[in-house]
Amino acid sequence: DQANDDKAIPGWRIKVRSLDDSSDPLKGAAAAKLLAANKAVAAVVGPYNSGVAEAALPALKGKVALLSPSNTLTSLTLGPDATKPDRPYKNYYRLVGPDSLQAQFLAQQAKKLGFTKVAVVNETKAVSKGLADQFATAFKAGGGTVTVQTTVPDGATDFSTFLTAAVPTAPQMIFF
């Protein structure tokens, strides 16, 4: 309202439309397709989840900017091979650091706290698996040991299989 009252963008009136993707990539892609079909849409803010953004971006066809306040999946800005960065979506902008940088920071903090052995568990979601994999890589590169690394189904509440594997390895920390 303030931007509209101040005529911050001459000739434009800013309107907000909210669509719920329910953190579901299929719903996110459908919502993105709907927004991309509307010629008045200049940008999308969101979605919250990296996996939803990954599904929504092709639907935006590079015509509508996607501004993410929360996506961290590294491949969204560097492509699938971080050793050969190639920006896959020219219309995608993130406002937070990617998993690769967060993982390095978290691994350094774990080492500063004196942890040398960790067990890693993650869900199958891209954001969970990506961060866990990159944390494990960074932790090992810093001289630490990952005693066990396990992927559990999204929304898991029973971690007994992971704990049965992890406890005998005597980790000092669990990364989830």
Side-chain angles (χ1 to χ4, degrees), residues 121-125 151-160 176:
V121 62
N122 57 270
E123 293 181 313
T124 58
K125 288 183 202 122
T151 300
V152 298
D154 294 342
T157 57
D158 179 0
F159 294 90
S160 57
F176 180 51

Side-chain angles (χ1 to χ4, degrees), residues 7 9 12 41-42 60 66 71 79 88 98-99 110-111 123 125 133-134 149 152 162 172 176:
K7 296 181 178 33
I9 306 173
W12 284 73
V41 173
L60 296 174
L66 179 69
N71 301 159
D99 289 336
K111 293 290 285 183
E123 293 181 313
K125 288 183 202 122
D133 288 347
Q134 292 185 25
Q149 185 170 357
V152 298
F162 165 71
Q172 299 161 312
F176 180 51

Side-chain angles (χ1 to χ4, degrees), residues 17 29-41 59-61 63-64:
R17 180 174 181 194
K33 189 174 181 179
L34 182 68
L35 292 168
N38 183 340
K39 298 202 185 304
V41 173
L60 296 174
K61 300 180 173 135
K63 297 177 183 175
V64 176

Side-chain angles (χ1 to χ4, degrees), residues 23-50:
S23 296
D24 179 329
L26 293 175
K27 289 181 182 179
K33 189 174 181 179
L34 182 68
L35 292 168
N38 183 340
K39 298 202 185 304
V41 173
V44 172
V45 177
Y48 174 77
N49 303 71
S50 294

